[in-house]
Amino acid sequence: MTQLFYDNTLEGLFTAIFEIFEFKYADPEIVRMDFVQNAFFAERVEIITNLEKSNRVFTKLEKQLGKDGIRQLLYAYLSEFEGIENLIFRVVRYAVQNPNHNIVKDFSNPDVLQVSKLVKSVGREKHRMEAFIRFELLKDGLYFAKIDPDFNVLTLIVRHFKNRYQDQRWMIYDFKRGYGVYYNLEGTEMVTLDEDVLQKFQNDNSLLHDAEIKYQKLWAEYFDHTNIKERKNIKLHIQHVPKRYWKYLTEKKIF
């Protein structure tokens, strides 16, 4: 076995896949750098991300699988499914073995089928994040949103919010993965927050603008007063808005 460990980026993964074909590694296993474990009978190879090699894999796959095929591999990668690197490698290898066939819809192959299932799950989470994320106005004029999605979809939802809120500064922060996206009216950038700042965002309403606190109370009261209790159907409500998303909704907060 040859164990190749990479830097946890898609470019690093594509570099690893390129080198598997380049050096003809036998029985390869691709592992994220922070998941590397000692294997007595495995040769360990550190993969240094190489954009030229990564782009060659990307170009090859785009030519054979099309943009939709690339999108599916990206979505599958963002699922963070255990062993996703090796699943993607097997799909790429299957594509290379069938150069005259677009294997994206070949569900007779179990790996292609698994990727398809992951794509649906990630796509569903993306759309729900776009629907359920709520921003809170902070004292410094920044609109801030906390998320911790099941899948790593933050980069997939940036365009939606950038198009929708072009005239205000905002930040969406993934607390589960420890990074966020900040929009400064001109463009977006990836950011990370210190632990003490994160604690304040998690537990302290003192960061909220006074107008935001009043708005949240008024909205919760309005929602409560307009809700017809006799027609309440919790089962149907949960089908449309699963409980794990309630933490994002202002009307679900208790003051």
Side-chain angles (χ1 to χ4, degrees):
M1 176 189 295
T2 302
Q3 191 178 72
L4 303 95
F5 56 103
Y6 75 110
D7 64 355
N8 310 343
T9 66
L10 187 61
E11 293 81 7
L13 174 59
F14 278 3
T15 301
I17 291 174
F18 182 94
E19 294 195 1
I20 289 174
F21 288 103
E22 181 181 21
F23 298 112
K24 297 181 173 58
Y25 288 122
D27 194 18
E29 179 186 26
I30 307 173
V31 184
R32 287 176 52 168
M33 192 169 293
D34 50 354
F35 288 164
V36 170
Q37 297 179 349
N38 292 326
F40 291 110
F41 303 105
E43 175 189 0
R44 297 179 61 190
V45 178
E46 180 180 0
I47 299 299
I48 306 300
T49 298
N50 183 304
L51 293 182
E52 181 181 353
K53 293 181 178 180
S54 173
N55 288 336
R56 286 180 62 179
V57 173
F58 180 90
T59 302
K60 171 73 175 179
L61 292 174
E62 185 177 37
K63 183 178 180 180
Q64 184 172 345
L65 306 181
K67 293 186 181 299
D68 184 59
I70 292 294
R71 181 189 67 85
Q72 293 202 35
L73 292 180
L74 171 61
Y75 274 45
Y77 180 74
L78 294 176
S79 73
E80 301 176 326
F81 179 74
E82 184 177 355
I84 187 60
E85 296 87 0
N86 296 290
L87 176 62
I88 290 176
F89 165 66
R90 291 195 299 271
V91 170
V92 172
R93 182 176 60 187
Y94 185 56
V96 170
Q97 293 170 346
N98 297 271
N100 300 317
H101 174 52
N102 188 335
I103 54 89
V104 170
K105 302 295 183 181
D106 187 358
F107 300 135
S108 64
N109 182 282
D111 294 322
V112 175
L113 179 61
Q114 180 64 50
V115 165
S116 176
K117 291 178 179 178
L118 292 174
V119 169
K120 289 182 180 178
S121 296
V122 172
R124 187 183 305 116
E125 186 78 341
K126 170 185 178 293
H127 290 303
R128 284 177 171 172
M129 284 291 102
E130 291 172 346
F132 298 138
I133 282 180
R134 296 293 185 269
F135 288 94
E136 297 178 318
L137 178 62
L138 305 184
K139 289 181 177 179
D140 64 355
L142 176 71
Y143 285 87
F144 185 83
K146 298 175 285 189
I147 64 172
D148 59 347
D150 287 352
F151 309 112
N152 189 12
V153 297
L154 179 53
T155 55
L156 300 180
I157 65 177
V158 170
R159 179 184 295 180
H160 170 83
F161 288 101
K162 184 178 178 182
N163 291 338
R164 189 172 181 181
Y165 302 111
Q166 298 181 24
D167 60 345
Q168 59 194 42
R169 295 187 305 116
W170 52 259
M171 181 187 297
I172 305 174
Y173 203 87
D174 187 337
F175 277 72
K176 181 182 292 186
R177 295 163 185 86
Y179 80 101
V181 173
Y182 169 63
Y183 174 69
N184 62 3
L185 301 179
E186 297 181 357
T188 57
E189 60 179 301
M190 297 294 181
V191 296
T192 57
L193 299 177
D194 295 334
E195 188 62 32
D196 57 336
V197 177
L198 293 177
Q199 289 296 323
K200 286 185 178 180
F201 277 119
Q202 287 280 46
N203 307 308
D204 191 353
N205 282 339
S206 66
L207 296 174
L208 297 181
H209 195 285
D210 290 342
E212 176 67 24
I213 296 175
K214 292 179 181 178
Y215 160 76
Q216 291 190 14
K217 288 182 177 179
L218 286 173
W219 178 246
E221 291 173 1
Y222 170 80
F223 183 83
D224 181 61
H225 292 158
T226 57
N227 185 31
I228 303 175
K229 294 180 175 58
E230 291 76 13
R231 295 186 179 181
K232 184 179 293 185
N233 186 333
I234 294 297
K235 184 177 180 181
L236 180 62
H237 181 60
I238 292 176
Q239 286 180 356
H240 290 287
V241 187
K243 278 190 173 182
R244 63 193 180 89
Y245 298 104
W246 288 12
K247 59 193 169 186
Y248 302 121
L249 305 179
T250 305
E251 58 268 24
K252 297 297 183 181
K253 293 185 177 182
I254 300 176
F255 291 90

